[in-house]
Amino acid sequence: MEQILTLATNNLLSPIILSFALGVAAALARSDLSVPEAAAKALSIYLLFAIGFKGGVSVSSHGLDAKLGLSLIAGIILSAALPLIAFALLKVMTGLSRLDAAAVAAHYGSISIVTFVAATSVLESSGITSEGYMVAVAAAMEAPAILSALWLISRGGDGRRMDSDLWREILLNGSIVLLVGSFLIGWVTGEEGLTEISSFIVAPFKGVLCLFLLDMGLVAGRGLRRGGGVLRPGVLAFGVLMPLIGSAFGLAAGLMLGLSMGGVALMMVLSASASYIAVPAAMRVALPEADPSIYLTLSLGVTFPFNLTLGIPLYVAVASALTGA
Amino acid sequence: MEQILTLATNNLLSPIILSFALGVAAALARSDLSVPEAAAKALSIYLLFAIGFKGGVSVSSHGLDAKLGLSLIAGIILSAALPLIAFALLKVMTGLSRLDAAAVAAHYGSISIVTFVAATSVLESSGITSEGYMVAVAAAMEAPAILSALWLISRGGDGRRMDSDLWREILLNGSIVLLVGSFLIGWVTGEEGLTEISSFIVAPFKGVLCLFLLDMGLVAGRGLRRGGGVLRPGVLAFGVLMPLIGSAFGLAAGLMLGLSMGGVALMMVLSASASYIAVPAAMRVALPEADPSIYLTLSLGVTFPFNLTLGIPLYVAVASALTGA
Amino acid sequence: MEQILTLATNNLLSPIILSFALGVAAALARSDLSVPEAAAKALSIYLLFAIGFKGGVSVSSHGLDAKLGLSLIAGIILSAALPLIAFALLKVMTGLSRLDAAAVAAHYGSISIVTFVAATSVLESSGITSEGYMVAVAAAMEAPAILSALWLISRGGDGRRMDSDLWREILLNGSIVLLVGSFLIGWVTGEEGLTEISSFIVAPFKGVLCLFLLDMGLVAGRGLRRGGGVLRPGVLAFGVLMPLIGSAFGLAAGLMLGLSMGGVALMMVLSASASYIAVPAAMRVALPEADPSIYLTLSLGVTFPFNLTLGIPLYVAVASALTGA
Amino acid sequence: MKTHKAKRVEITIEAIMQSRLTEALTKAGVTGFSVLPVRGGSGRSGAWVRAGEIGRASGMVQVICIIRPERLDALLEAAFAVVDRHIGVVSIVDCEVLRAERF
Amino acid sequence: MKTHKAKRVEITIEAIMQSRLTEALTKAGVTGFSVLPVRGGSGRSGAWVRAGEIGRASGMVQVICIIRPERLDALLEAAFAVVDRHIGVVSIVDCEVLRAERF
Amino acid sequence: MKTHKAKRVEITIEAIMQSRLTEALTKAGVTGFSVLPVRGGSGRSGAWVRAGEIGRASGMVQVICIIRPERLDALLEAAFAVVDRHIGVVSIVDCEVLRAERF
Ligand SMILES: Nc1ncnc2c1ncn2[C@@H]1O[C@H](COP(=O)(O)O)[C@@H](O)[C@H]1O
Ligand SMILES: Nc1ncnc2c1ncn2[C@@H]1O[C@H](COP(=O)(O)O)[C@@H](O)[C@H]1O
Ligand SMILES: Nc1ncnc2c1ncn2[C@@H]1O[C@H](COP(=O)(O)O)[C@@H](O)[C@H]1O
Ligand code: NA
Ligand code: NA
Ligand code: NA
């Protein structure tokens, strides 16, 4: 318990979290502070490239773990199954329509890569290592949740075609391609490749993450200011409860797979986190009648800050307690 | 004197100044070289974040100086008073209308954060330290000058309402919020926080400043090419004289406050510099009839380059002579 | 031969080339991965500034080589002469119209600065030094080819005026101005200047180059997907043959000038590379009837990848064999 | 297809005045608008480009409103109160729209 | 100068739907269009701005087609099929063009 | 409110030709124009997008001029001289403006 509190306090007072808080505060106070769209995208490209590359290098150093395949499968199953639980929970806890509930559920099966990045950076600060291929697991978990959600809707008699364009868009989504691509590049080039570009992708990483989280805070704060009203108490509670449930499933999967302590923590983080890039875009195409202000505000304005501030230290503490590391 | 010359020459031949000169030259020669708006804004966000953060860390390391409060008050008084002097001077030296004169005056009470950043980088190169809270003083000096200018106008019988929106816009201006916010983050996280992100905010700082000044040079040069014609000799002379006058007041304030040599120099720089972000924007809203090509060209095309090239070394030399350091 | 193969393999498996390949693959697979225009331009500004600056510093360290002037003249002659050869070859090998052939020819006389940058980075990895003023030679080679192409057209009776605007645009092209400007800045500030900003322009250089090549890959891949069809086999073959011919002329020039091994290699690279910034823009203005999808696809989609992957190691190997270094 | 008469109002205004304009429009009952970036331009107050600028004092945006004809006057009055002392251009075009219930 | 009658169709649509719309237009025989960025806006589904966003779920673009009057109906039908269930606005204006052979 | 008849001319032209066009317009007595970015498009010469491009050879911009009807012909002639050999589209719409003294 004490460890959790220390971790949580350290985490809350890290430049990364404070930058996010600054962004939220500035947006709520209606400051005109804003990061240009092109700059925000550039920061996200940097982060995806760096995290993918480092994951690949780590796999190349530690050899191909036999668990990679199993972890990928576990990730896919989690991503597909969690929306069903989320949907059931939403039906019980909230008055959301089937459509809105399914759309929200899809977000919680899928993952948030920034939450993942923030978690790896917390692990690093604490000197905890993890399986490099967890980035690949992250990529694998992006899409299956979308299918589950569409299946939930079609079960309700409301036929939705997943046209092949949508398929391609989801699977070849820019962030998946960049993450997997740079993972492969890191894998192929290994430590040698890392040495060549580490002063670009390793040294300034945390600082870049600060600016990116400043931007995320601005966007989240703006969302809360505009869309906060649509979130009834039940929906809000879901936004905090669901990550805890998700993390429990992630924990179980991580332990069953026999991952390292860091790996278990990351599996929890992935399961606990909610998408705000791939899934919202897919929902706009496939379920345009679902209300974006619900799923975007919930994912970015509630669950993301919760995971960032309290969730990550909690998951790390639990993983550390249960892996006995 | 010799010291001034050496400092000035070193300064003039630094990559930072030469980058600015390159930008001016390219714009005057009508090259199509340009930095995208989003990239320029991203650079400015980086610089504000880094300078604020480092200021905060310095305060956290050296403890809270009792002079912080006094320095803030001094800054606010300077910002509010300098426009009155500037206005009187403009009435004597130039044929500008009351409106244009008040608008110009507001710029000279307020501050230019890049001039401040460039000065801190000159101080660092010379191994001179300064009070970390000078960033907070810089932030405090942004707005009061605007009020003075509007008061000058309203005295002339021309009633201007400062609507509450404008108030909020000025005080929660993106650059003030970012500067103060990152100052607080640096203060809270201290040296430990700095260690985590110093390879992002310390190591590449000067290089980023070069690219930013290249962009400033392009914008200033473009302004001179287009708006240079509106600047009559009297106005031009004001653009060089006023910073000297401002710096004298800054010097007096710095000495009275008992600031360190670096702190006195920075107080001079702040008082000498003229705003080109917060004040022009406020003028466009509150005094739309004032001619922007006068105040923008004067501030960015005349006073900024003057301070950058000759002013800063002069102020540092004077501060060093008078603080006996 | 073995050395070429090793170099080529090392080169092909470097993060730089793999990033380019990732971009091409993503574009061909119609992923929505894209780098914002502003970010791509910012990356190119960084690369030009850094490469120019480092070239200037190197000149300042090694003293002004008497060969600088001769190398510039050689570069200008190569740039002016290669289009004539290219044009003749195109008439023989392809069915392109005079206009299209002249437009394509202009590209091959001029140079691609990214190819140059990539080559310097390969040389550096292999510990091979080169004359710092090669950046100036690169800048000098940008424009003459355009004149040759326009002369080819006017010979055909089709009068084209080079209006003075176009002249200025070509010679004061943003990338030439930035390259030459930062070269001069580096020259003036020397090693001392470099020390101040090396953690910005040296340390992260290769990493930035990776992201830039990712973007180039995306653009090239998109071009191939859309415009690949217009390239008949003859035109395609030209895109691979012409760089080899160009490099042979570059080799001859480099040997006659008595350049170092690295200098010879870079002269080959410049001669072999094809413009995709300055020349396409000039062609759009001066020869609007020429088909951009031919010259852009050929230069960026065929010759650039060829040089990047196979050309550079080949040129380095040949230079090393023939300078006996 | 069935279309309905409407007005397309295009207001080119200083970027810094955008929020004041859109608030005034909203108060005047305008239910929708879109804001387009402008890269540069020229007018009686001189020429400008946004490239490289970080300040908010220069540059314009275009606010586009499509509205029912009967609401035009309210909109113009609201817009005029904001742009009155400012630079910028207001133009109105007759148009047809699909899905009239949206306006 | 000699001008020719045409229609200017402006479709404000979710960015994520852009490729679907332009593909539908192309299939319907539209030979040219331009896509303009939109910075922000407001409508029945709320207000939005693009600044700082990295996702593709929010934000609109404007697709502008200039076409011969006789092709208008085909275009509108194609556009409507795409925008039907989606937010956004379609407006049509009478215009004149130079170089009619281009449309 | 009192409005005045005017013409809204929209010229979609290659970005690289922008300065030539605006200079020609200025010479022809056009006192104001705005330049809008275009993200992408498609036409007889193929499809394009600006994303990721650093060169200036590809991409279009939109130059919008609002002018008094009697000046239209001078404007069109000036514009035509520039766009003649180039790709791009010129369209003209009847509009009403506030503050006619500005045109
Ligand atoms: N006639 C016009 N047509 C299109 N845009 C205009 C026109 N006049 C002015 N503008 C735009 O409005 C800005 C301010 O115009 P002005 O108030 O005339 O200085 C210009 O820089 C242009 O961006
Ligand atoms: N009347 C309108 N005029 C111009 N743009 C509109 C209008 N209504 C909606 N839009 C644009 O379309 C988006 C979605 O509108 P809506 O479907 O009403 O939420 C808005 O955010 C605006 O960008
Ligand atoms: N009918 C049209 N409507 C709108 N924009 C067009 C149209 N035709 C062409 N354009 C724009 O002008 C560019 C060049 O067109 P084109 O000359 O037909 O290749 C296209 O890529 C579009 O951006
Ligand atoms: Na999840
Ligand atoms: Na001042
Ligand atoms: Na060449």
Side-chain angles (χ1 to χ4, degrees):
Chain A
M1 195 60 210
E2 219 183 291
Q3 190 206 358
I4 304 190
L5 280 180
T6 320
L7 242 175
T9 320
N10 280 350
N11 189 42
L12 285 178
L13 297 184
S14 73
I16 290 170
I17 305 289
L18 292 174
S19 297
F20 179 77
L22 174 57
V24 172
L28 291 179
R30 296 212 278 146
S31 163
D32 70 345
L33 180 59
S34 76
V35 176
E37 182 184 350
K41 278 193 183 159
L43 292 175
S44 80
I45 289 172
Y46 169 87
L47 293 173
L48 288 167
F49 183 79
I51 195 89
F53 196 97
K54 287 186 282 187
V57 171
S58 151
V59 167
S60 102
S61 311
H62 299 111
L64 191 49
D65 196 313
K67 290 171 210 155
L68 165 56
L70 289 177
S71 300
L72 287 175
I73 293 172
I76 291 171
I77 294 175
L78 280 168
S79 173
L82 286 173
L84 310 181
I85 297 168
F87 186 75
L89 210 60
L90 284 162
K91 290 269 102 189
V92 176
M93 293 177 67
T94 73
L96 293 186
S97 71
R98 281 189 73 79
L99 218 60
D100 284 332
V104 169
H107 289 71
Y108 285 79
S110 185
I111 60 113
S112 144
I113 198 75
V114 191
T115 312
F116 179 80
V117 165
T120 58
S121 129
V122 167
L123 289 179
E124 254 168 47
S125 303
S126 320
I128 305 172
T129 58
S130 60
E131 287 78 4
Y133 53 71
M134 288 307 292
V135 251
V137 176
M141 288 178 74
E142 289 229 38
I146 298 170
L147 286 186
S148 292
L150 296 184
W151 175 78
L152 281 168
I153 289 298
S154 68
R155 264 187 64 229
D158 188 354
R160 303 277 154 176
R161 328 132 300 189
M162 271 291 277
D163 60 16
S164 68
D165 273 2
L166 184 55
W167 261 114
R168 205 201 53 247
E169 274 176 31
I170 293 171
L171 293 177
L172 294 179
N173 180 310
S175 57
I176 296 190
V177 168
L178 186 49
L179 199 59
V180 173
S182 55
F183 175 77
L184 294 176
I185 296 179
W187 193 347
V188 170
T189 63
E191 287 292 341
E192 213 176 311
L194 185 62
T195 316
E196 288 191 61
I197 63 171
S198 74
S199 29
F200 178 63
I201 66 168
V202 178
F205 189 80
K206 266 203 186 156
V208 176
L209 186 55
C210 284
L211 285 195
F212 186 69
L213 282 177
L214 173 70
D215 176 60
M216 297 270 299
L218 288 167
V219 174
R222 214 189 288 146
L224 283 173
R225 190 154 57 75
R226 285 198 181 138
V230 304
L231 298 186
R232 303 285 165 72
V235 177
L236 270 174
F238 172 85
V240 173
L241 183 57
M242 188 60 211
L244 296 175
I245 297 178
S247 73
F249 281 85
L251 174 66
L255 292 176
M256 283 198 298
L257 290 162
L259 296 181
S260 70
M261 171 183 147
V264 171
L266 289 180
M267 198 59 125
M268 292 176 76
V269 167
L270 288 175
S271 306
S273 72
S275 172
Y276 62 87
I277 300 187
V279 179
M283 292 301 114
R284 275 317 261 269
V285 174
L287 302 181
E289 298 87 353
D291 184 351
S293 61
I294 297 176
Y295 51 72
L296 278 176
T297 316
L298 196 56
S299 161
L300 189 57
V302 178
T303 300
F304 176 67
F306 169 75
N307 278 326
L308 197 64
T309 51
L310 302 178
I312 293 176
L314 177 67
Y315 310 144
V316 173
V318 171
S320 128
L322 295 193
T323 56
Chain B
M1 195 60 212
E2 218 183 291
Q3 189 205 358
I4 304 189
L5 280 181
T6 320
L7 244 175
T9 320
N10 279 350
N11 190 42
L12 285 177
L13 297 183
S14 73
I16 290 171
I17 305 289
L18 293 174
S19 297
F20 180 77
L22 173 58
V24 173
L28 291 179
R30 297 213 278 147
S31 164
D32 70 345
L33 180 59
S34 76
V35 176
E37 181 184 351
K41 280 192 181 160
L43 293 175
S44 80
I45 288 173
Y46 170 88
L47 293 174
L48 288 166
F49 182 80
I51 195 90
F53 195 98
K54 287 186 281 186
V57 171
S58 152
V59 167
S60 102
S61 310
H62 300 112
L64 190 49
D65 197 312
K67 289 172 210 153
L68 164 57
L70 290 176
S71 300
L72 286 176
I73 294 171
I76 291 171
I77 294 175
L78 281 168
S79 173
L82 287 173
L84 309 182
I85 297 168
F87 187 73
L89 210 62
L90 284 162
K91 291 269 102 189
V92 176
M93 293 178 66
T94 72
L96 292 186
S97 71
R98 281 188 73 77
L99 218 61
D100 283 332
V104 169
H107 289 71
Y108 285 80
S110 185
I111 60 111
S112 144
I113 198 74
V114 191
T115 313
F116 178 81
V117 165
T120 58
S121 128
V122 167
L123 290 179
E124 254 169 47
S125 303
S126 319
I128 305 173
T129 58
S130 59
E131 286 78 4
Y133 53 72
M134 290 307 292
V135 248
V137 177
M141 289 178 74
E142 289 229 37
I146 298 169
L147 286 187
S148 293
L150 296 185
W151 176 78
L152 282 169
I153 289 297
S154 69
R155 265 186 63 229
D158 187 354
R160 302 278 153 176
R161 328 132 300 187
M162 271 291 278
D163 60 14
S164 68
D165 272 4
L166 184 54
W167 262 115
R168 205 201 54 246
E169 274 177 31
I170 294 170
L171 293 176
L172 293 180
N173 180 310
S175 57
I176 296 189
V177 168
L178 186 50
L179 199 59
V180 173
S182 55
F183 176 75
L184 294 176
I185 296 179
W187 193 347
V188 169
T189 62
E191 287 291 343
E192 213 176 310
L194 185 62
T195 316
E196 287 191 60
I197 62 171
S198 73
S199 28
F200 178 62
I201 68 169
V202 178
F205 189 80
K206 267 203 186 156
V208 176
L209 187 55
C210 285
L211 285 196
F212 187 69
L213 283 177
L214 172 71
D215 176 59
M216 297 270 300
L218 288 166
V219 173
R222 215 188 286 146
L224 284 173
R225 189 153 57 74
R226 285 195 180 140
V230 305
L231 299 186
R232 303 284 164 72
V235 178
L236 270 174
F238 172 86
V240 172
L241 184 57
M242 189 60 212
L244 296 175
I245 297 178
S247 73
F249 280 85
L251 173 66
L255 293 176
M256 283 198 298
L257 290 163
L259 297 180
S260 71
M261 171 184 149
V264 172
L266 289 180
M267 198 59 125
M268 294 176 75
V269 167
L270 288 175
S271 307
S273 72
S275 172
Y276 62 87
I277 300 188
V279 180
M283 292 301 114
R284 275 319 259 268
V285 174
L287 302 181
E289 300 87 352
D291 183 351
S293 61
I294 296 176
Y295 52 72
L296 278 177
T297 316
L298 196 56
S299 162
L300 190 57
V302 178
T303 300
F304 176 67
F306 169 74
N307 278 327
L308 197 64
T309 52
L310 303 177
I312 292 175
L314 177 67
Y315 310 145
V316 173
V318 171
S320 127
L322 296 191
T323 56
Chain C
M1 194 58 212
E2 217 183 293
Q3 189 205 358
I4 304 189
L5 280 181
T6 320
L7 242 175
T9 320
N10 279 350
N11 189 42
L12 285 177
L13 296 184
S14 73
I16 291 170
I17 305 289
L18 293 174
S19 297
F20 180 77
L22 173 57
V24 173
L28 290 179
R30 296 212 279 146
S31 164
D32 70 345
L33 180 60
S34 77
V35 176
E37 180 184 351
K41 279 193 183 159
L43 292 176
S44 80
I45 288 173
Y46 169 87
L47 293 174
L48 288 166
F49 182 79
I51 194 92
F53 195 97
K54 287 185 282 186
V57 170
S58 152
V59 167
S60 104
S61 310
H62 300 112
L64 190 50
D65 197 314
K67 289 172 209 154
L68 165 58
L70 290 176
S71 301
L72 287 175
I73 294 172
I76 292 171
I77 294 175
L78 280 169
S79 173
L82 287 173
L84 310 182
I85 297 168
F87 187 75
L89 210 61
L90 284 162
K91 291 269 103 190
V92 177
M93 292 177 67
T94 72
L96 293 186
S97 70
R98 280 189 74 78
L99 218 60
D100 284 332
V104 168
H107 288 71
Y108 285 79
S110 184
I111 60 112
S112 145
I113 198 73
V114 191
T115 313
F116 179 79
V117 165
T120 58
S121 129
V122 168
L123 290 179
E124 254 169 46
S125 303
S126 319
I128 306 173
T129 59
S130 59
E131 286 78 4
Y133 53 71
M134 289 307 294
V135 248
V137 176
M141 289 178 74
E142 289 230 37
I146 298 170
L147 287 186
S148 293
L150 295 184
W151 175 79
L152 282 169
I153 289 298
S154 68
R155 265 186 63 227
D158 187 354
R160 301 279 154 175
R161 330 133 298 192
M162 270 291 279
D163 61 15
S164 68
D165 273 2
L166 184 54
W167 262 115
R168 206 202 52 247
E169 275 176 31
I170 293 170
L171 293 177
L172 295 179
N173 181 311
S175 57
I176 296 190
V177 167
L178 186 50
L179 198 60
V180 173
S182 55
F183 175 76
L184 294 176
I185 296 179
W187 193 346
V188 169
T189 62
E191 288 291 342
E192 213 176 311
L194 185 62
T195 316
E196 287 191 60
I197 62 172
S198 73
S199 28
F200 178 63
I201 66 169
V202 178
F205 189 80
K206 266 203 187 156
V208 176
L209 186 55
C210 285
L211 285 196
F212 187 68
L213 284 177
L214 173 70
D215 176 59
M216 297 269 301
L218 288 166
V219 173
R222 214 188 287 145
L224 283 173
R225 190 155 56 76
R226 285 199 180 136
V230 304
L231 299 186
R232 303 283 166 73
V235 177
L236 271 175
F238 171 86
V240 172
L241 183 57
M242 188 61 212
L244 296 175
I245 297 177
S247 74
F249 281 86
L251 173 66
L255 292 176
M256 282 196 301
L257 291 161
L259 297 180
S260 71
M261 171 183 148
V264 172
L266 289 181
M267 198 59 123
M268 293 176 75
V269 167
L270 288 174
S271 307
S273 72
S275 171
Y276 62 87
I277 300 187
V279 179
M283 293 301 114
R284 275 318 260 267
V285 174
L287 302 181
E289 299 87 352
D291 183 352
S293 61
I294 297 175
Y295 52 73
L296 278 176
T297 315
L298 197 56
S299 162
L300 189 57
V302 178
T303 301
F304 176 65
F306 170 74
N307 278 327
L308 197 64
T309 51
L310 302 177
I312 293 177
L314 177 67
Y315 310 146
V316 172
V318 171
S320 128
L322 295 193
T323 57
Chain D
M1 292 192 75
K2 174 106 191 81
T3 60
H4 311 264
K5 288 206 180 312
K7 298 279 179 179
R8 179 185 186 279
V9 184
E10 180 181 289
I11 306 172
T12 307
I13 192 175
E14 296 160 88
I16 193 100
M17 297 300 293
Q18 175 189 324
S19 59
R20 284 176 177 77
L21 174 64
T22 54
E23 271 164 34
L25 293 179
T26 308
K27 269 194 203 135
V30 169
T31 56
F33 56 82
S34 295
V35 184
L36 268 59
V38 184
R39 279 161 60 108
S42 180
R44 296 173 317 144
S45 62
W48 61 276
V49 293
R50 269 306 296 174
E53 295 276 355
I54 53 165
R56 293 165 62 241
S58 74
M60 321 281 291
V61 295
Q62 261 193 12
V63 177
I64 293 174
C65 305
I66 295 176
I67 47 156
R68 293 166 180 268
E70 60 267 29
R71 296 219 183 138
L72 180 63
D73 256 352
L75 183 158
L76 289 183
E77 247 139 61
F80 190 73
V82 176
V83 300
D84 183 15
R85 291 163 58 217
H86 287 265
I87 62 177
V89 174
V90 181
S91 75
I92 307 114
V93 168
D94 287 322
C95 69
E96 307 268 320
V97 292
L98 299 185
R99 314 200 280 189
E101 68 285 2
R102 306 208 153 204
F103 298 90
Chain E
M1 294 191 73
K2 176 106 190 83
T3 60
H4 310 262
K5 289 206 179 312
K7 298 280 182 180
R8 179 186 187 277
V9 184
E10 180 181 290
I11 306 172
T12 306
I13 191 174
E14 296 160 87
I16 193 99
M17 297 301 294
Q18 176 189 322
S19 59
R20 284 177 177 76
L21 175 63
T22 54
E23 270 164 35
L25 294 180
T26 308
K27 269 193 203 136
V30 170
T31 58
F33 57 82
S34 295
V35 183
L36 269 59
V38 184
R39 279 160 61 106
S42 180
R44 297 173 318 144
S45 61
W48 61 276
V49 293
R50 268 308 294 174
E53 294 277 354
I54 53 165
R56 295 166 60 240
S58 74
M60 321 280 293
V61 295
Q62 260 192 13
V63 176
I64 294 174
C65 306
I66 295 175
I67 47 157
R68 294 165 180 269
E70 60 267 30
R71 296 219 183 138
L72 180 63
D73 256 353
L75 183 158
L76 290 183
E77 248 140 60
F80 189 73
V82 176
V83 300
D84 183 16
R85 290 163 59 217
H86 287 265
I87 62 176
V89 174
V90 180
S91 75
I92 306 113
V93 169
D94 287 322
C95 69
E96 307 268 320
V97 292
L98 299 185
R99 315 199 280 188
E101 68 285 3
R102 305 208 154 205
F103 299 90
Chain F
M1 293 192 75
K2 175 107 191 82
T3 59
H4 310 263
K5 288 207 179 310
K7 298 279 181 180
R8 179 184 186 280
V9 183
E10 181 181 290
I11 307 172
T12 306
I13 192 175
E14 295 158 270
I16 193 100
M17 297 302 293
Q18 176 188 323
S19 59
R20 284 177 177 76
L21 174 64
T22 55
E23 272 164 33
L25 293 179
T26 308
K27 269 193 204 139
V30 170
T31 58
F33 56 83
S34 295
V35 183
L36 269 60
V38 184
R39 279 160 60 107
S42 179
R44 297 174 314 144
S45 61
W48 60 276
V49 293
R50 269 307 294 175
E53 293 277 353
I54 53 166
R56 294 166 62 241
S58 74
M60 321 281 293
V61 295
Q62 260 193 12
V63 177
I64 294 174
C65 306
I66 295 175
I67 47 156
R68 292 168 181 267
E70 59 267 29
R71 297 218 182 138
L72 179 63
D73 256 353
L75 183 157
L76 290 183
E77 248 140 60
F80 190 72
V82 176
V83 300
D84 182 15
R85 289 165 57 218
H86 287 265
I87 62 176
V89 174
V90 181
S91 75
I92 306 114
V93 168
D94 288 322
C95 70
E96 307 269 321
V97 292
L98 299 186
R99 314 198 280 190
E101 68 285 2
R102 305 209 153 203
F103 298 91

